[in-house]
Amino acid sequence: MKKIINKGFSLSLSPSGSGIKPGARFDSSISVRSSTTSTATSTASAAETNMNSPCREKLFVEHCKGVNGLEKVVLREVRGCSAEIYLYGGQVISWKNEYGEELLFLSSKATFTHPKPIRGGIPICFPQFANHGSLEKHGFARSRVWSIDPDPPPFSANSSSQACVDLILKHSEEEVKIWPHRYEFRLRITLGPGGDLMLTSRIRNTNTDGKSFAFTFAYHTYFAVSDISEVRVEGLETLDYLDNLKDKERFTEQGDAITFESEVDKVYLSTPTKIAILDHERKRTFVLRKDGLPDAVVWNPWDKKAKAMADFGDDEYKHMLCVEAACVEKPIILKPGEEWRGRQEISAVPSSYCSGQLDPKKVFQSD
Ligand code: TA6
């Protein structure tokens, strides 16, 4: 018998069986396989009914309301790590470690109001990164309301011991007028047993007119940092990049790891699958692993641009850094029926920082 200790969060299946929905609260200690109370019985049957789902740890998934009554899903892991995902934008807005410390930046001025995207967390840029095309900046996926995917096609990855949620976004008739394509975008967000956060996107061309489509993409991840001047990024040194502050001109990065003393907005090209973000003051290293996403964007608006953004505090640039697994330089092209996958996994580990060097064994030689 499997025992799950659950500190009073809620779950139930929708009547149509189409997945989780805001539901009743239940006991703090429940049994999944058998039960002695009526509350636990209904909960257990919900869990049993959904046992075919790839996200087995349904009891660590709560579907409830967030800011402005917007629907959100909370993932929790046994040690206390958590992640919050808004259906608005399909956007992760919080990722906490086992001590309850927030690892992602969310602006104190973020608005949760359509059509403005939420400033912080991990906005999804699709089908266009920034202004690399004629659509609205960063595409429309970040300001659409996603749905919980009732029946995600199987993944090869084993999600059996992880809390996860599957979201889906499909073209709307309104949207087809601005981007004349039909697609299915499936996004799985997984909180692993160690608190790692994994986002996997599967985008399929469902055009029936035989047309291919091209898109660019980014997981626009806002990491929370103690002080931007104490941060360095490793893994991008010596690479070529497009500088958005210089008309997307191409340069080659010089010198050591990247540090920050002014505005930065660069798209690094053909980057390694692993990038490290070291926060010296907090003695924390974020490790970003990616797959299917050759580029990496690094952005900090610094003081002037920060002041110009209505949904961003004047001094908040000091406490954030965007490092984004992306595909910008060479758009992805999908023929009808074809599917693309792109994955970003982030973990937060204590820095083993010594004489200005990150312990390379820890970050670059581990899986
Ligand atoms: O990813 C970097 C970037 O494209 C920057 O140019 C900067 O403008 C940022 O995204 C935020 O864009 P947003 O539309 O969310 O204000």
Side-chain angles (χ1 to χ4, degrees):
M1 184 170 73
K2 189 173 175 189
K3 191 99 170 157
I4 292 180
I5 307 300
N6 180 354
K7 291 266 179 266
F9 52 84
S10 60
L11 168 88
S12 72
L13 290 177
S14 64
S16 63
S18 63
I20 49 176
K21 69 165 193 173
R25 303 189 77 76
F26 45 82
D27 295 348
S28 62
S29 173
I30 58 166
S31 158
V32 175
R33 299 283 178 194
S34 66
S35 56
T36 50
T37 68
S38 57
T39 312
T41 303
S42 64
T43 306
S45 65
E48 296 282 10
T49 313
N50 229 19
M51 284 309 276
N52 288 337
S53 162
C55 305
R56 288 289 182 79
E57 300 295 326
K58 286 292 178 193
L59 294 173
F60 288 90
V61 181
E62 177 189 11
H63 184 182
C64 51
K65 301 271 186 199
V67 180
N68 289 345
L70 294 174
E71 288 185 50
K72 68 174 182 179
V73 174
V74 184
L75 305 179
R76 296 177 213 272
E77 164 276 354
V78 263
R79 293 180 313 146
C81 303
S82 65
E84 282 187 29
I85 302 106
Y86 272 65
L87 298 197
Y88 180 58
Q91 188 164 334
V92 178
I93 60 115
S94 167
W95 172 43
K96 288 183 181 163
N97 64 15
E98 68 267 41
Y99 309 110
E101 293 164 342
E102 183 55 69
L103 303 170
L104 293 178
F105 167 84
L106 177 69
S107 173
S108 61
K109 294 194 166 176
T111 54
F112 288 71
T113 317
H114 183 266
K116 200 150 176 51
I118 303 167
R119 175 72 65 197
I122 312 182
I124 301 289
C125 303
F126 170 82
Q128 177 184 299
F129 174 75
N131 47 10
H132 289 249
S134 57
L135 299 176
E136 63 195 88
K137 191 173 175 201
H138 288 320
F140 42 71
R142 63 177 180 162
S143 47
R144 288 275 314 277
V145 180
W146 295 53
S147 305
I148 290 175
D149 191 353
D151 189 22
F155 260 83
S156 49
N158 179 11
S159 305
S160 59
S161 61
Q162 302 169 340
C164 73
V165 63
D166 285 286
L167 302 183
I168 186 163
L169 182 69
K170 293 184 187 179
H171 61 273
S172 67
E173 288 316 315
E174 207 41 45
E175 204 177 81
V176 167
K177 290 179 196 153
I178 50 165
W179 197 60
H181 299 293
R182 289 173 162 71
Y183 66 88
E184 283 176 3
F185 185 153
R186 292 192 151 82
L187 174 63
R188 172 171 292 182
I189 300 159
T190 305
L191 188 63
D196 297 357
L197 186 70
M198 196 197 297
L199 286 83
T200 308
S201 292
R202 296 183 288 180
I203 297 172
R204 180 176 291 277
N205 180 336
T206 55
N207 274 337
T208 49
D209 58 4
K211 286 199 180 129
S212 299
F213 63 65
F215 65 92
T216 49
F217 182 93
Y219 292 113
H220 199 303
T221 312
Y222 288 76
F223 289 98
V225 299
S226 56
D227 176 351
I228 187 66
S229 55
E230 294 291 322
V231 170
R232 55 192 248 156
V233 175
E234 295 195 354
L236 303 175
E237 50 283 346
T238 75
L239 297 182
D240 280 7
Y241 63 88
L242 309 178
D243 196 337
N244 285 326
L245 302 179
K246 293 185 179 143
D247 247 353
K248 304 191 182 87
E249 209 183 318
R250 193 175 180 124
F251 296 92
T252 303
E253 194 61 68
Q254 306 290 335
D256 276 349
I258 292 144
T259 53
F260 302 89
E261 47 196 30
S262 59
E263 184 183 358
V264 177
D265 192 351
K266 297 177 178 177
V267 180
Y268 289 89
L269 307 172
S270 306
T271 57
T273 54
K274 208 182 269 186
I275 298 167
I277 300 134
L278 286 79
D279 185 337
H280 292 164
E281 202 171 295
R282 250 180 218 145
K283 297 191 170 50
R284 174 185 292 149
T285 298
F286 293 108
V287 183
L288 183 155
R289 296 175 178 84
K290 61 190 178 61
D291 193 28
L293 294 157
D295 306 325
V297 181
V298 177
W299 178 60
N300 183 292
W302 223 254
D303 53 350
K304 272 202 202 104
K305 286 243 169 93
K307 286 193 179 108
M309 287 188 280
D311 60 348
F312 196 95
D314 289 359
D315 285 333
E316 286 184 335
Y317 73 93
K318 292 177 185 163
H319 306 298
M320 56 72 68
L321 177 66
C322 284
V323 179
E324 316 163 26
C327 184
V328 178
E329 191 195 25
K330 295 182 187 131
I332 296 142
I333 298 171
L334 286 181
K335 292 187 187 134
E338 281 184 345
E339 184 179 89
W340 167 86
R341 277 185 192 209
R343 192 174 68 92
Q344 172 180 283
E345 185 176 349
I346 49 178
S347 46
V349 296
S351 295
S352 100
Y353 176 70
C354 176
S355 318
Q357 291 300 314
L358 172 71
D359 178 353
K361 274 185 236 115
K362 276 217 144 154
V363 172
F364 289 105
Q365 287 165 19
S366 64
D367 281 336

